[in-house]
PDB file of all heavy atoms in Angstrom:
ATOM      1  N   GLY A   1      10.661 -37.231  63.584  1.00 96.00           N
ATOM      2  CA  GLY A   1      11.792 -37.332  64.544  1.00 96.00           C
ATOM      3  C   GLY A   1      12.115 -38.738  64.961  1.00 96.00           C
ATOM      4  O   GLY A   1      13.281 -39.138  64.881  1.00 96.00           O
ATOM      5  N   PRO A   2      11.142 -39.559  65.384  1.00 96.00           N
ATOM      6  CA  PRO A   2      11.521 -40.925  65.835  1.00 96.00           C
ATOM      7  C   PRO A   2      12.114 -41.776  64.725  1.00 96.00           C
ATOM      8  O   PRO A   2      12.999 -42.577  64.957  1.00 96.00           O
ATOM      9  CB  PRO A   2      10.148 -41.491  66.300  1.00 96.00           C
ATOM     10  CG  PRO A   2       9.372 -40.311  66.709  1.00 96.00           C
ATOM     11  CD  PRO A   2       9.758 -39.217  65.718  1.00 96.00           C
ATOM     12  N   PHE A   3      11.667 -41.593  63.475  1.00 95.00           N
ATOM     13  CA  PHE A   3      12.232 -42.321  62.343  1.00 95.00           C
ATOM     14  C   PHE A   3      13.676 -41.985  62.171  1.00 95.00           C
ATOM     15  O   PHE A   3      14.534 -42.857  61.992  1.00 95.00           O
ATOM     16  CB  PHE A   3      11.477 -41.981  61.060  1.00 95.00           C
ATOM     17  CG  PHE A   3      12.001 -42.643  59.834  1.00 95.00           C
ATOM     18  CD1 PHE A   3      11.468 -43.854  59.372  1.00 95.00           C
ATOM     19  CD2 PHE A   3      13.035 -42.085  59.073  1.00 95.00           C
ATOM     20  CE1 PHE A   3      11.961 -44.450  58.212  1.00 95.00           C
ATOM     21  CE2 PHE A   3      13.529 -42.677  57.960  1.00 95.00           C
ATOM     22  CZ  PHE A   3      12.997 -43.871  57.518  1.00 95.00           C
ATOM     23  N   ARG A   4      14.022 -40.684  62.283  1.00 94.00           N
ATOM     24  CA  ARG A   4      15.397 -40.259  62.118  1.00 94.00           C
ATOM     25  C   ARG A   4      16.249 -40.769  63.261  1.00 94.00           C
ATOM     26  O   ARG A   4      17.444 -41.099  63.074  1.00 94.00           O
ATOM     27  CB  ARG A   4      15.499 -38.733  61.987  1.00 94.00           C
ATOM     28  CG  ARG A   4      14.861 -38.277  60.682  1.00 94.00           C
ATOM     29  CD  ARG A   4      14.774 -36.743  60.590  1.00 94.00           C
ATOM     30  NE  ARG A   4      14.128 -36.353  59.351  1.00 94.00           N
ATOM     31  CZ  ARG A   4      13.750 -35.123  59.051  1.00 94.00           C
ATOM     32  NH1 ARG A   4      13.974 -34.146  59.948  1.00 94.00           N
ATOM     33  NH2 ARG A   4      13.185 -34.846  57.900  1.00 94.00           N
ATOM     34  N   ASP A   5      15.641 -40.878  64.453  1.00 94.00           N
ATOM     35  CA  ASP A   5      16.392 -41.513  65.577  1.00 94.00           C
ATOM     36  C   ASP A   5      16.689 -42.991  65.270  1.00 94.00           C
ATOM     37  O   ASP A   5      17.741 -43.493  65.593  1.00 94.00           O
ATOM     38  CB  ASP A   5      15.564 -41.420  66.870  1.00 94.00           C
ATOM     39  CG  ASP A   5      15.439 -39.990  67.401  1.00 94.00           C
ATOM     40  OD1 ASP A   5      16.252 -39.141  66.963  1.00 94.00           O
ATOM     41  OD2 ASP A   5      14.576 -39.744  68.241  1.00 94.00           O
ATOM     42  N   ALA A   6      15.700 -43.669  64.693  1.00 95.00           N
ATOM     43  CA  ALA A   6      15.827 -45.103  64.412  1.00 95.00           C
ATOM     44  C   ALA A   6      16.991 -45.388  63.460  1.00 95.00           C
ATOM     45  O   ALA A   6      17.675 -46.393  63.587  1.00 95.00           O
ATOM     46  CB  ALA A   6      14.535 -45.657  63.872  1.00 95.00           C
ATOM     47  N   LEU A   7      17.204 -44.477  62.486  1.00 94.00           N
ATOM     48  CA  LEU A   7      18.211 -44.713  61.472  1.00 94.00           C
ATOM     49  C   LEU A   7      19.423 -43.772  61.639  1.00 94.00           C
ATOM     50  O   LEU A   7      20.365 -43.847  60.863  1.00 94.00           O
ATOM     51  CB  LEU A   7      17.627 -44.492  60.059  1.00 94.00           C
ATOM     52  CG  LEU A   7      16.539 -45.457  59.630  1.00 94.00           C
ATOM     53  CD1 LEU A   7      16.166 -45.202  58.183  1.00 94.00           C
ATOM     54  CD2 LEU A   7      16.990 -46.924  59.787  1.00 94.00           C
ATOM     55  N   ASP A   8      19.375 -42.904  62.651  1.00 92.00           N
ATOM     56  CA  ASP A   8      20.423 -41.912  62.824  1.00 92.00           C
ATOM     57  C   ASP A   8      20.649 -41.165  61.517  1.00 92.00           C
ATOM     58  O   ASP A   8      21.742 -41.040  60.989  1.00 92.00           O
ATOM     59  CB  ASP A   8      21.749 -42.569  63.272  1.00 92.00           C
ATOM     60  CG  ASP A   8      22.797 -41.568  63.741  1.00 92.00           C
ATOM     61  OD1 ASP A   8      22.412 -40.457  64.071  1.00 92.00           O
ATOM     62  OD2 ASP A   8      23.988 -41.933  63.712  1.00 92.00           O
ATOM     63  N   SER A   9      19.551 -40.622  60.952  1.00 91.00           N
ATOM     64  CA  SER A   9      19.580 -40.014  59.623  1.00 91.00           C
ATOM     65  C   SER A   9      19.168 -38.569  59.556  1.00 91.00           C
ATOM     66  O   SER A   9      18.822 -38.069  58.495  1.00 91.00           O
ATOM     67  CB  SER A   9      18.684 -40.852  58.699  1.00 91.00           C
ATOM     68  OG  SER A   9      17.319 -40.785  59.147  1.00 91.00           O
ATOM     69  N   ALA A  10      19.176 -37.871  60.713  1.00 91.00           N
ATOM     70  CA  ALA A  10      18.843 -36.445  60.699  1.00 91.00           C
ATOM     71  C   ALA A  10      19.954 -35.647  60.089  1.00 91.00           C
ATOM     72  O   ALA A  10      21.156 -36.054  60.075  1.00 91.00           O
ATOM     73  CB  ALA A  10      18.596 -35.992  62.120  1.00 91.00           C
ATOM     74  N   PRO A  11      19.632 -34.476  59.467  1.00 91.00           N
ATOM     75  CA  PRO A  11      20.697 -33.648  58.877  1.00 91.00           C
ATOM     76  C   PRO A  11      21.776 -33.289  59.932  1.00 91.00           C
ATOM     77  O   PRO A  11      21.431 -33.033  61.080  1.00 91.00           O
ATOM     78  CB  PRO A  11      19.922 -32.387  58.429  1.00 91.00           C
ATOM     79  CG  PRO A  11      18.536 -32.897  58.143  1.00 91.00           C
ATOM     80  CD  PRO A  11      18.298 -33.957  59.188  1.00 91.00           C
ATOM     81  N   ILE A  12      23.020 -33.347  59.503  1.00 85.00           N
ATOM     82  CA  ILE A  12      24.117 -33.082  60.402  1.00 85.00           C
ATOM     83  C   ILE A  12      24.313 -31.569  60.549  1.00 85.00           C
ATOM     84  O   ILE A  12      24.262 -30.836  59.587  1.00 85.00           O
ATOM     85  CB  ILE A  12      25.418 -33.729  59.834  1.00 85.00           C
ATOM     86  CG1 ILE A  12      25.249 -35.206  59.658  1.00 85.00           C
ATOM     87  CG2 ILE A  12      26.614 -33.422  60.743  1.00 85.00           C
ATOM     88  CD1 ILE A  12      24.939 -35.981  60.899  1.00 85.00           C
ATOM     89  N   ARG A  13      24.542 -31.172  61.772  1.00 82.00           N
ATOM     90  CA  ARG A  13      24.752 -29.730  62.028  1.00 82.00           C
ATOM     91  C   ARG A  13      26.236 -29.409  61.864  1.00 82.00           C
ATOM     92  O   ARG A  13      27.043 -29.566  62.763  1.00 82.00           O
ATOM     93  CB  ARG A  13      24.285 -29.340  63.460  1.00 82.00           C
ATOM     94  CG  ARG A  13      22.788 -29.457  63.608  1.00 82.00           C
ATOM     95  CD  ARG A  13      22.359 -29.004  64.991  1.00 82.00           C
ATOM     96  NE  ARG A  13      20.912 -28.983  65.103  1.00 82.00           N
ATOM     97  CZ  ARG A  13      20.141 -27.957  64.743  1.00 82.00           C
ATOM     98  NH1 ARG A  13      20.707 -26.846  64.285  1.00 82.00           N
ATOM     99  NH2 ARG A  13      18.838 -28.038  64.852  1.00 82.00           N
ATOM    100  N   ARG A  14      26.580 -28.960  60.633  1.00 84.00           N
ATOM    101  CA  ARG A  14      27.927 -28.474  60.389  1.00 84.00           C
ATOM    102  C   ARG A  14      27.882 -27.503  59.193  1.00 84.00           C
ATOM    103  O   ARG A  14      26.934 -27.482  58.437  1.00 84.00           O
ATOM    104  CB  ARG A  14      28.915 -29.608  60.131  1.00 84.00           C
ATOM    105  CG  ARG A  14      28.673 -30.425  58.901  1.00 84.00           C
ATOM    106  CD  ARG A  14      29.944 -31.299  58.607  1.00 84.00           C
ATOM    107  NE  ARG A  14      29.723 -32.190  57.496  1.00 84.00           N
ATOM    108  CZ  ARG A  14      29.480 -33.482  57.583  1.00 84.00           C
ATOM    109  NH1 ARG A  14      29.399 -34.017  58.765  1.00 84.00           N
ATOM    110  NH2 ARG A  14      29.281 -34.201  56.508  1.00 84.00           N
ATOM    111  N   GLU A  15      28.914 -26.727  59.071  1.00 85.00           N
ATOM    112  CA  GLU A  15      28.978 -25.688  58.076  1.00 85.00           C
ATOM    113  C   GLU A  15      28.833 -26.284  56.647  1.00 85.00           C
ATOM    114  O   GLU A  15      29.451 -27.278  56.332  1.00 85.00           O
ATOM    115  CB  GLU A  15      30.266 -24.913  58.174  1.00 85.00           C
ATOM    116  CG  GLU A  15      30.332 -23.691  57.229  1.00 85.00           C
ATOM    117  CD  GLU A  15      31.595 -22.897  57.443  1.00 85.00           C
ATOM    118  OE1 GLU A  15      32.384 -23.201  58.371  1.00 85.00           O
ATOM    119  OE2 GLU A  15      31.796 -21.960  56.651  1.00 85.00           O
ATOM    120  N   GLY A  16      28.003 -25.674  55.848  1.00 84.00           N
ATOM    121  CA  GLY A  16      27.813 -26.114  54.488  1.00 84.00           C
ATOM    122  C   GLY A  16      26.742 -27.145  54.310  1.00 84.00           C
ATOM    123  O   GLY A  16      26.482 -27.578  53.183  1.00 84.00           O
ATOM    124  N   VAL A  17      26.064 -27.559  55.394  1.00 90.00           N
ATOM    125  CA  VAL A  17      25.017 -28.564  55.297  1.00 90.00           C
ATOM    126  C   VAL A  17      23.697 -27.895  55.727  1.00 90.00           C
ATOM    127  O   VAL A  17      23.624 -27.352  56.844  1.00 90.00           O
ATOM    128  CB  VAL A  17      25.296 -29.793  56.220  1.00 90.00           C
ATOM    129  CG1 VAL A  17      24.136 -30.733  56.142  1.00 90.00           C
ATOM    130  CG2 VAL A  17      26.567 -30.467  55.779  1.00 90.00           C
ATOM    131  N   PRO A  18      22.658 -27.888  54.896  1.00 90.00           N
ATOM    132  CA  PRO A  18      21.357 -27.336  55.295  1.00 90.00           C
ATOM    133  C   PRO A  18      20.837 -27.967  56.558  1.00 90.00           C
ATOM    134  O   PRO A  18      20.968 -29.171  56.732  1.00 90.00           O
ATOM    135  CB  PRO A  18      20.473 -27.605  54.089  1.00 90.00           C
ATOM    136  CG  PRO A  18      21.400 -27.793  52.926  1.00 90.00           C
ATOM    137  CD  PRO A  18      22.646 -28.405  53.504  1.00 90.00           C
ATOM    138  N   LEU A  19      20.270 -27.154  57.399  1.00 90.00           N
ATOM    139  CA  LEU A  19      19.804 -27.644  58.691  1.00 90.00           C
ATOM    140  C   LEU A  19      18.512 -28.405  58.596  1.00 90.00           C
ATOM    141  O   LEU A  19      18.122 -29.126  59.541  1.00 90.00           O
ATOM    142  CB  LEU A  19      19.642 -26.478  59.683  1.00 90.00           C
ATOM    143  CG  LEU A  19      20.931 -25.764  60.090  1.00 90.00           C
ATOM    144  CD1 LEU A  19      20.612 -24.611  61.033  1.00 90.00           C
ATOM    145  CD2 LEU A  19      21.893 -26.734  60.768  1.00 90.00           C
ATOM    146  N   ASP A  20      17.779 -28.249  57.514  1.00 93.00           N
ATOM    147  CA  ASP A  20      16.523 -28.953  57.350  1.00 93.00           C
ATOM    148  C   ASP A  20      16.351 -29.352  55.864  1.00 93.00           C
ATOM    149  O   ASP A  20      17.259 -29.161  55.061  1.00 93.00           O
ATOM    150  CB  ASP A  20      15.325 -28.090  57.796  1.00 93.00           C
ATOM    151  CG  ASP A  20      15.283 -26.729  57.093  1.00 93.00           C
ATOM    152  OD1 ASP A  20      15.473 -26.698  55.880  1.00 93.00           O
ATOM    153  OD2 ASP A  20      15.045 -25.716  57.793  1.00 93.00           O
ATOM    154  N   LYS A  21      15.171 -29.903  55.550  1.00 95.00           N
ATOM    155  CA  LYS A  21      14.941 -30.447  54.221  1.00 95.00           C
ATOM    156  C   LYS A  21      13.875 -29.651  53.459  1.00 95.00           C
ATOM    157  O   LYS A  21      13.237 -30.145  52.518  1.00 95.00           O
ATOM    158  CB  LYS A  21      14.529 -31.933  54.314  1.00 95.00           C
ATOM    159  CG  LYS A  21      15.578 -32.762  55.034  1.00 95.00           C
ATOM    160  CD  LYS A  21      15.244 -34.263  54.981  1.00 95.00           C
ATOM    161  CE  LYS A  21      16.350 -35.078  55.659  1.00 95.00           C
ATOM    162  NZ  LYS A  21      16.114 -36.564  55.530  1.00 95.00           N
ATOM    163  N   ARG A  22      13.721 -28.386  53.846  1.00 96.00           N
ATOM    164  CA  ARG A  22      12.662 -27.569  53.241  1.00 96.00           C
ATOM    165  C   ARG A  22      12.901 -27.165  51.791  1.00 96.00           C
ATOM    166  O   ARG A  22      12.009 -26.766  51.111  1.00 96.00           O
ATOM    167  CB  ARG A  22      12.464 -26.299  54.103  1.00 96.00           C
ATOM    168  CG  ARG A  22      11.938 -26.596  55.459  1.00 96.00           C
ATOM    169  CD  ARG A  22      11.827 -25.324  56.335  1.00 96.00           C
ATOM    170  NE  ARG A  22      11.435 -25.646  57.700  1.00 96.00           N
ATOM    171  CZ  ARG A  22      10.174 -25.767  58.103  1.00 96.00           C
ATOM    172  NH1 ARG A  22       9.211 -25.574  57.263  1.00 96.00           N
ATOM    173  NH2 ARG A  22       9.912 -26.062  59.354  1.00 96.00           N
ATOM    174  N   SER A  23      14.170 -27.341  51.306  1.00 95.00           N
ATOM    175  CA  SER A  23      14.426 -26.988  49.926  1.00 95.00           C
ATOM    176  C   SER A  23      13.974 -28.064  48.958  1.00 95.00           C
ATOM    177  O   SER A  23      13.956 -27.859  47.738  1.00 95.00           O
ATOM    178  CB  SER A  23      15.933 -26.696  49.725  1.00 95.00           C
ATOM    179  OG  SER A  23      16.684 -27.900  49.847  1.00 95.00           O
ATOM    180  N   TYR A  24      13.584 -29.218  49.467  1.00 97.00           N
ATOM    181  CA  TYR A  24      13.097 -30.274  48.563  1.00 97.00           C
ATOM    182  C   TYR A  24      11.813 -30.933  49.045  1.00 97.00           C
ATOM    183  O   TYR A  24      10.993 -31.372  48.264  1.00 97.00           O
ATOM    184  CB  TYR A  24      14.190 -31.322  48.242  1.00 97.00           C
ATOM    185  CG  TYR A  24      14.913 -31.937  49.389  1.00 97.00           C
ATOM    186  CD1 TYR A  24      14.616 -33.169  49.892  1.00 97.00           C
ATOM    187  CD2 TYR A  24      16.047 -31.269  49.930  1.00 97.00           C
ATOM    188  CE1 TYR A  24      15.294 -33.734  50.933  1.00 97.00           C
ATOM    189  CE2 TYR A  24      16.758 -31.810  50.951  1.00 97.00           C
ATOM    190  CZ  TYR A  24      16.420 -33.079  51.469  1.00 97.00           C
ATOM    191  OH  TYR A  24      17.125 -33.632  52.475  1.00 97.00           O
ATOM    192  N   GLN A  25      11.596 -31.037  50.385  1.00 97.00           N
ATOM    193  CA  GLN A  25      10.294 -31.534  50.864  1.00 97.00           C
ATOM    194  C   GLN A  25       9.290 -30.427  50.832  1.00 97.00           C
ATOM    195  O   GLN A  25       9.627 -29.228  50.843  1.00 97.00           O
ATOM    196  CB  GLN A  25      10.445 -32.136  52.269  1.00 97.00           C
ATOM    197  CG  GLN A  25      11.303 -33.363  52.299  1.00 97.00           C
ATOM    198  CD  GLN A  25      11.490 -33.951  53.697  1.00 97.00           C
ATOM    199  OE1 GLN A  25      11.050 -33.345  54.681  1.00 97.00           O
ATOM    200  NE2 GLN A  25      12.112 -35.084  53.759  1.00 97.00           N
ATOM    201  N   MET A  26       8.001 -30.753  50.793  1.00 98.00           N
ATOM    202  CA  MET A  26       6.954 -29.759  50.509  1.00 98.00           C
ATOM    203  C   MET A  26       6.639 -28.892  51.720  1.00 98.00           C
ATOM    204  O   MET A  26       6.729 -29.320  52.876  1.00 98.00           O
ATOM    205  CB  MET A  26       5.676 -30.456  50.019  1.00 98.00           C
ATOM    206  CG  MET A  26       5.769 -30.912  48.591  1.00 98.00           C
ATOM    207  SD  MET A  26       4.223 -31.683  48.077  1.00 98.00           S
ATOM    208  CE  MET A  26       3.045 -30.390  48.470  1.00 98.00           C
ATOM    209  N   ASP A  27       6.201 -27.670  51.465  1.00 98.00           N
ATOM    210  CA  ASP A  27       5.735 -26.733  52.466  1.00 98.00           C
ATOM    211  C   ASP A  27       4.385 -27.196  53.020  1.00 98.00           C
ATOM    212  O   ASP A  27       3.457 -27.410  52.288  1.00 98.00           O
ATOM    213  CB  ASP A  27       5.562 -25.347  51.796  1.00 98.00           C
ATOM    214  CG  ASP A  27       5.264 -24.230  52.773  1.00 98.00           C
ATOM    215  OD1 ASP A  27       4.679 -24.513  53.859  1.00 98.00           O
ATOM    216  OD2 ASP A  27       5.591 -23.093  52.485  1.00 98.00           O
ATOM    217  N   PRO A  28       4.316 -27.371  54.344  1.00 98.00           N
ATOM    218  CA  PRO A  28       3.025 -27.795  54.952  1.00 98.00           C
ATOM    219  C   PRO A  28       1.819 -26.919  54.638  1.00 98.00           C
ATOM    220  O   PRO A  28       0.695 -27.353  54.783  1.00 98.00           O
ATOM    221  CB  PRO A  28       3.320 -27.786  56.459  1.00 98.00           C
ATOM    222  CG  PRO A  28       4.802 -28.031  56.529  1.00 98.00           C
ATOM    223  CD  PRO A  28       5.369 -27.277  55.373  1.00 98.00           C
ATOM    224  N   ALA A  29       2.071 -25.697  54.191  1.00 98.00           N
ATOM    225  CA  ALA A  29       0.974 -24.811  53.864  1.00 98.00           C
ATOM    226  C   ALA A  29       0.319 -25.071  52.513  1.00 98.00           C
ATOM    227  O   ALA A  29      -0.727 -24.509  52.204  1.00 98.00           O
ATOM    228  CB  ALA A  29       1.431 -23.337  53.918  1.00 98.00           C
ATOM    229  N   ASN A  30       0.949 -25.906  51.716  1.00 98.00           N
ATOM    230  CA  ASN A  30       0.517 -26.113  50.299  1.00 98.00           C
ATOM    231  C   ASN A  30      -0.258 -27.383  50.107  1.00 98.00           C
ATOM    232  O   ASN A  30       0.173 -28.475  50.556  1.00 98.00           O
ATOM    233  CB  ASN A  30       1.713 -26.090  49.389  1.00 98.00           C
ATOM    234  CG  ASN A  30       2.417 -24.732  49.362  1.00 98.00           C
ATOM    235  OD1 ASN A  30       1.901 -23.769  49.944  1.00 98.00           O
ATOM    236  ND2 ASN A  30       3.536 -24.664  48.714  1.00 98.00           N
ATOM    237  N   GLY A  31      -1.387 -27.271  49.387  1.00 98.00           N
ATOM    238  CA  GLY A  31      -2.216 -28.440  49.041  1.00 98.00           C
ATOM    239  C   GLY A  31      -2.256 -28.670  47.577  1.00 98.00           C
ATOM    240  O   GLY A  31      -2.050 -29.796  47.121  1.00 98.00           O
ATOM    241  N   GLN A  32      -2.540 -27.632  46.795  1.00 98.00           N
ATOM    242  CA  GLN A  32      -2.634 -27.798  45.350  1.00 98.00           C
ATOM    243  C   GLN A  32      -1.329 -28.309  44.746  1.00 98.00           C
ATOM    244  O   GLN A  32      -1.293 -29.035  43.759  1.00 98.00           O
ATOM    245  CB  GLN A  32      -3.046 -26.453  44.692  1.00 98.00           C
ATOM    246  CG  GLN A  32      -3.196 -26.509  43.170  1.00 98.00           C
ATOM    247  CD  GLN A  32      -4.251 -27.504  42.731  1.00 98.00           C
ATOM    248  OE1 GLN A  32      -5.273 -27.680  43.391  1.00 98.00           O
ATOM    249  NE2 GLN A  32      -4.022 -28.183  41.603  1.00 98.00           N
ATOM    250  N   GLU A  33      -0.211 -27.892  45.376  1.00 98.00           N
ATOM    251  CA  GLU A  33       1.102 -28.310  44.880  1.00 98.00           C
ATOM    252  C   GLU A  33       1.250 -29.801  44.921  1.00 98.00           C
ATOM    253  O   GLU A  33       1.910 -30.430  44.073  1.00 98.00           O
ATOM    254  CB  GLU A  33       2.203 -27.653  45.746  1.00 98.00           C
ATOM    255  CG  GLU A  33       3.608 -27.980  45.283  1.00 98.00           C
ATOM    256  CD  GLU A  33       4.667 -27.426  46.212  1.00 98.00           C
ATOM    257  OE1 GLU A  33       4.311 -26.952  47.322  1.00 98.00           O
ATOM    258  OE2 GLU A  33       5.845 -27.508  45.840  1.00 98.00           O
ATOM    259  N   ALA A  34       0.536 -30.475  45.873  1.00 98.00           N
ATOM    260  CA  ALA A  34       0.597 -31.941  45.946  1.00 98.00           C
ATOM    261  C   ALA A  34      -0.008 -32.562  44.719  1.00 98.00           C
ATOM    262  O   ALA A  34       0.492 -33.600  44.266  1.00 98.00           O
ATOM    263  CB  ALA A  34      -0.116 -32.396  47.225  1.00 98.00           C
ATOM    264  N   VAL A  35      -1.074 -31.969  44.203  1.00 98.00           N
ATOM    265  CA  VAL A  35      -1.705 -32.516  42.988  1.00 98.00           C
ATOM    266  C   VAL A  35      -0.723 -32.394  41.854  1.00 98.00           C
ATOM    267  O   VAL A  35      -0.580 -33.351  41.000  1.00 98.00           O
ATOM    268  CB  VAL A  35      -3.003 -31.759  42.667  1.00 98.00           C
ATOM    269  CG1 VAL A  35      -3.625 -32.281  41.385  1.00 98.00           C
ATOM    270  CG2 VAL A  35      -4.007 -31.885  43.845  1.00 98.00           C
ATOM    271  N   HIS A  36      -0.018 -31.280  41.749  1.00 98.00           N
ATOM    272  CA  HIS A  36       0.958 -31.046  40.692  1.00 98.00           C
ATOM    273  C   HIS A  36       2.093 -32.083  40.789  1.00 98.00           C
ATOM    274  O   HIS A  36       2.453 -32.749  39.795  1.00 98.00           O
ATOM    275  CB  HIS A  36       1.484 -29.640  40.771  1.00 98.00           C
ATOM    276  CG  HIS A  36       2.496 -29.284  39.715  1.00 98.00           C
ATOM    277  ND1 HIS A  36       2.249 -29.426  38.370  1.00 98.00           N
ATOM    278  CD2 HIS A  36       3.785 -28.832  39.821  1.00 98.00           C
ATOM    279  CE1 HIS A  36       3.291 -29.064  37.686  1.00 98.00           C
ATOM    280  NE2 HIS A  36       4.246 -28.707  38.529  1.00 98.00           N
ATOM    281  N   GLU A  37       2.624 -32.213  42.004  1.00 98.00           N
ATOM    282  CA  GLU A  37       3.730 -33.192  42.203  1.00 98.00           C
ATOM    283  C   GLU A  37       3.336 -34.597  41.838  1.00 98.00           C
ATOM    284  O   GLU A  37       4.030 -35.313  41.130  1.00 98.00           O
ATOM    285  CB  GLU A  37       4.197 -33.138  43.670  1.00 98.00           C
ATOM    286  CG  GLU A  37       5.001 -31.945  44.063  1.00 98.00           C
ATOM    287  CD  GLU A  37       6.437 -32.070  43.770  1.00 98.00           C
ATOM    288  OE1 GLU A  37       6.836 -33.042  43.071  1.00 98.00           O
ATOM    289  OE2 GLU A  37       7.252 -31.230  44.228  1.00 98.00           O
TER     290      GLU A  37
END
């Protein structure tokens, strides 16, 4: 959060824009996937 405040780079809340970055950043529940990546 503070980084996004510093650059004003948080995802924009508007139609057609994903509200978060979960479709490309990793799921916090996964560890083995990090080795693969």
Side-chain angles (χ1 to χ4, degrees):
F3 178 95
R4 293 173 182 171
D5 289 344
L7 296 185
D8 191 21
S9 62
I12 302 300
R13 292 184 175 273
R14 66 166 175 257
E15 186 176 354
V17 177
L19 294 178
D20 56 44
K21 302 187 178 185
R22 294 176 185 273
S23 69
Y24 49 99
Q25 293 179 353
M26 285 181 53
D27 187 334
N30 295 352
Q32 182 60 35
E33 183 184 10
V35 178
H36 181 56
E37 286 275 10

